mmCIF file with all atom_site columns, all heavy atoms in Angstrom:
data_model
loop_
_atom_site.group_PDB
_atom_site.id
_atom_site.type_symbol
_atom_site.label_atom_id
_atom_site.label_alt_id
_atom_site.label_comp_id
_atom_site.label_asym_id
_atom_site.label_entity_id
_atom_site.label_seq_id
_atom_site.pdbx_PDB_ins_code
_atom_site.Cartn_x
_atom_site.Cartn_y
_atom_site.Cartn_z
_atom_site.occupancy
_atom_site.B_iso_or_equiv
_atom_site.pdbx_formal_charge
_atom_site.auth_seq_id
_atom_site.auth_comp_id
_atom_site.auth_asym_id
_atom_site.auth_atom_id
_atom_site.pdbx_PDB_model_num
ATOM 1  N N   . HIS A 1 10  ? 159.967 119.350 116.731 1.00 50.00 ? 31  HIS A N   1
ATOM 2  C CA  . HIS A 1 10  ? 159.675 117.915 116.805 1.00 50.00 ? 31  HIS A CA  1
ATOM 3  C C   . HIS A 1 10  ? 158.834 117.640 118.033 1.00 50.00 ? 31  HIS A C   1
ATOM 4  O O   . HIS A 1 10  ? 159.339 117.246 119.078 1.00 50.00 ? 31  HIS A O   1
ATOM 5  C CB  . HIS A 1 10  ? 160.975 117.108 116.880 1.00 50.00 ? 31  HIS A CB  1
ATOM 6  C CG  . HIS A 1 10  ? 161.875 117.373 115.690 1.00 50.00 ? 31  HIS A CG  1
ATOM 7  N ND1 . HIS A 1 10  ? 161.700 116.764 114.483 1.00 50.00 ? 31  HIS A ND1 1
ATOM 8  C CD2 . HIS A 1 10  ? 162.957 118.202 115.581 1.00 50.00 ? 31  HIS A CD2 1
ATOM 9  C CE1 . HIS A 1 10  ? 162.637 117.191 113.634 1.00 50.00 ? 31  HIS A CE1 1
ATOM 10 N NE2 . HIS A 1 10  ? 163.411 118.074 114.288 1.00 50.00 ? 31  HIS A NE2 1
ATOM 11 N N   . VAL A 1 21  ? 151.580 104.832 120.757 1.00 48.00 ? 42  VAL A N   1
ATOM 12 C CA  . VAL A 1 21  ? 150.849 103.604 120.485 1.00 48.00 ? 42  VAL A CA  1
ATOM 13 C C   . VAL A 1 21  ? 149.368 103.767 120.777 1.00 48.00 ? 42  VAL A C   1
ATOM 14 O O   . VAL A 1 21  ? 148.494 103.292 120.066 1.00 48.00 ? 42  VAL A O   1
ATOM 15 C CB  . VAL A 1 21  ? 151.444 102.445 121.299 1.00 48.00 ? 42  VAL A CB  1
ATOM 16 C CG1 . VAL A 1 21  ? 150.582 101.190 121.155 1.00 48.00 ? 42  VAL A CG1 1
ATOM 17 C CG2 . VAL A 1 21  ? 152.867 102.163 120.841 1.00 48.00 ? 42  VAL A CG2 1
ATOM 18 N N   . GLY A 1 24  ? 147.609 105.426 117.934 1.00 50.00 ? 45  GLY A N   1
ATOM 19 C CA  . GLY A 1 24  ? 147.418 104.515 116.810 1.00 50.00 ? 45  GLY A CA  1
ATOM 20 C C   . GLY A 1 24  ? 146.244 103.587 117.020 1.00 50.00 ? 45  GLY A C   1
ATOM 21 O O   . GLY A 1 24  ? 145.468 103.313 116.104 1.00 50.00 ? 45  GLY A O   1
ATOM 22 N N   . ALA A 1 31  ? 136.778 96.038  116.427 1.00 64.00 ? 52  ALA A N   1
ATOM 23 C CA  . ALA A 1 31  ? 135.948 94.963  115.886 1.00 64.00 ? 52  ALA A CA  1
ATOM 24 C C   . ALA A 1 31  ? 134.467 95.253  116.062 1.00 64.00 ? 52  ALA A C   1
ATOM 25 O O   . ALA A 1 31  ? 133.647 94.888  115.224 1.00 64.00 ? 52  ALA A O   1
ATOM 26 C CB  . ALA A 1 31  ? 136.319 93.648  116.557 1.00 64.00 ? 52  ALA A CB  1
ATOM 27 N N   . PRO A 1 83  ? 82.323  103.881 88.250  1.00 95.00 ? 104 PRO A N   1
ATOM 28 C CA  . PRO A 1 83  ? 82.308  102.410 88.285  1.00 95.00 ? 104 PRO A CA  1
ATOM 29 C C   . PRO A 1 83  ? 82.582  101.890 89.690  1.00 95.00 ? 104 PRO A C   1
ATOM 30 O O   . PRO A 1 83  ? 83.375  102.453 90.441  1.00 95.00 ? 104 PRO A O   1
ATOM 31 C CB  . PRO A 1 83  ? 83.424  102.023 87.312  1.00 95.00 ? 104 PRO A CB  1
ATOM 32 C CG  . PRO A 1 83  ? 84.349  103.198 87.312  1.00 95.00 ? 104 PRO A CG  1
ATOM 33 C CD  . PRO A 1 83  ? 83.484  104.410 87.498  1.00 95.00 ? 104 PRO A CD  1
ATOM 34 N N   . LEU A 1 151 ? 89.549  83.748  79.920  1.00 95.00 ? 172 LEU A N   1
ATOM 35 C CA  . LEU A 1 151 ? 88.495  84.488  80.608  1.00 95.00 ? 172 LEU A CA  1
ATOM 36 C C   . LEU A 1 151 ? 87.210  84.503  79.781  1.00 95.00 ? 172 LEU A C   1
ATOM 37 O O   . LEU A 1 151 ? 87.233  84.415  78.553  1.00 95.00 ? 172 LEU A O   1
ATOM 38 C CB  . LEU A 1 151 ? 88.935  85.930  80.886  1.00 95.00 ? 172 LEU A CB  1
ATOM 39 C CG  . LEU A 1 151 ? 90.172  86.131  81.756  1.00 95.00 ? 172 LEU A CG  1
ATOM 40 C CD1 . LEU A 1 151 ? 90.557  87.600  81.808  1.00 95.00 ? 172 LEU A CD1 1
ATOM 41 C CD2 . LEU A 1 151 ? 89.949  85.589  83.165  1.00 95.00 ? 172 LEU A CD2 1
ATOM 42 N N   . LEU A 1 153 ? 83.409  86.838  79.670  1.00 97.00 ? 174 LEU A N   1
ATOM 43 C CA  . LEU A 1 153 ? 82.870  88.129  80.104  1.00 97.00 ? 174 LEU A CA  1
ATOM 44 C C   . LEU A 1 153 ? 81.416  88.224  79.697  1.00 97.00 ? 174 LEU A C   1
ATOM 45 O O   . LEU A 1 153 ? 81.049  87.911  78.556  1.00 97.00 ? 174 LEU A O   1
ATOM 46 C CB  . LEU A 1 153 ? 83.691  89.267  79.484  1.00 97.00 ? 174 LEU A CB  1
ATOM 47 C CG  . LEU A 1 153 ? 83.323  90.703  79.861  1.00 97.00 ? 174 LEU A CG  1
ATOM 48 C CD1 . LEU A 1 153 ? 84.573  91.588  79.868  1.00 97.00 ? 174 LEU A CD1 1
ATOM 49 C CD2 . LEU A 1 153 ? 82.295  91.305  78.885  1.00 97.00 ? 174 LEU A CD2 1
ATOM 50 N N   . VAL A 1 191 ? 75.173  99.650  83.445  1.00 97.00 ? 212 VAL A N   1
ATOM 51 C CA  . VAL A 1 191 ? 76.073  98.687  82.814  1.00 97.00 ? 212 VAL A CA  1
ATOM 52 C C   . VAL A 1 191 ? 76.604  97.730  83.876  1.00 97.00 ? 212 VAL A C   1
ATOM 53 O O   . VAL A 1 191 ? 77.053  98.164  84.946  1.00 97.00 ? 212 VAL A O   1
ATOM 54 C CB  . VAL A 1 191 ? 77.247  99.394  82.122  1.00 97.00 ? 212 VAL A CB  1
ATOM 55 C CG1 . VAL A 1 191 ? 78.175  98.379  81.455  1.00 97.00 ? 212 VAL A CG1 1
ATOM 56 C CG2 . VAL A 1 191 ? 76.738  100.408 81.109  1.00 97.00 ? 212 VAL A CG2 1
ATOM 57 N N   . ALA A 1 198 ? 87.494  80.947  82.490  1.00 92.00 ? 219 ALA A N   1
ATOM 58 C CA  . ALA A 1 198 ? 86.776  80.051  81.585  1.00 92.00 ? 219 ALA A CA  1
ATOM 59 C C   . ALA A 1 198 ? 86.650  78.649  82.167  1.00 92.00 ? 219 ALA A C   1
ATOM 60 O O   . ALA A 1 198 ? 85.640  77.971  81.970  1.00 92.00 ? 219 ALA A O   1
ATOM 61 C CB  . ALA A 1 198 ? 87.489  80.001  80.232  1.00 92.00 ? 219 ALA A CB  1
ATOM 62 N N   . GLY A 1 229 ? 55.669  36.780  90.083  1.00 50.00 ? 250 GLY A N   1
ATOM 63 C CA  . GLY A 1 229 ? 54.304  36.365  89.756  1.00 50.00 ? 250 GLY A CA  1
ATOM 64 C C   . GLY A 1 229 ? 54.225  35.146  88.867  1.00 50.00 ? 250 GLY A C   1
ATOM 65 O O   . GLY A 1 229 ? 53.252  34.385  88.919  1.00 50.00 ? 250 GLY A O   1
ATOM 66 N N   . LEU A 1 231 ? 56.356  32.532  88.774  1.00 53.00 ? 252 LEU A N   1
ATOM 67 C CA  . LEU A 1 231 ? 57.014  31.352  89.284  1.00 53.00 ? 252 LEU A CA  1
ATOM 68 C C   . LEU A 1 231 ? 55.991  30.277  89.710  1.00 53.00 ? 252 LEU A C   1
ATOM 69 O O   . LEU A 1 231 ? 54.958  30.611  90.306  1.00 53.00 ? 252 LEU A O   1
ATOM 70 C CB  . LEU A 1 231 ? 57.908  31.703  90.497  1.00 53.00 ? 252 LEU A CB  1
ATOM 71 C CG  . LEU A 1 231 ? 59.089  32.649  90.178  1.00 53.00 ? 252 LEU A CG  1
ATOM 72 C CD1 . LEU A 1 231 ? 59.852  32.930  91.453  1.00 53.00 ? 252 LEU A CD1 1
ATOM 73 C CD2 . LEU A 1 231 ? 60.000  32.017  89.117  1.00 53.00 ? 252 LEU A CD2 1
#
Side-chain angles (χ1 to χ4, degrees):
H31 302 279
V42 173
L172 300 174
L174 182 148
V212 180
L252 296 179

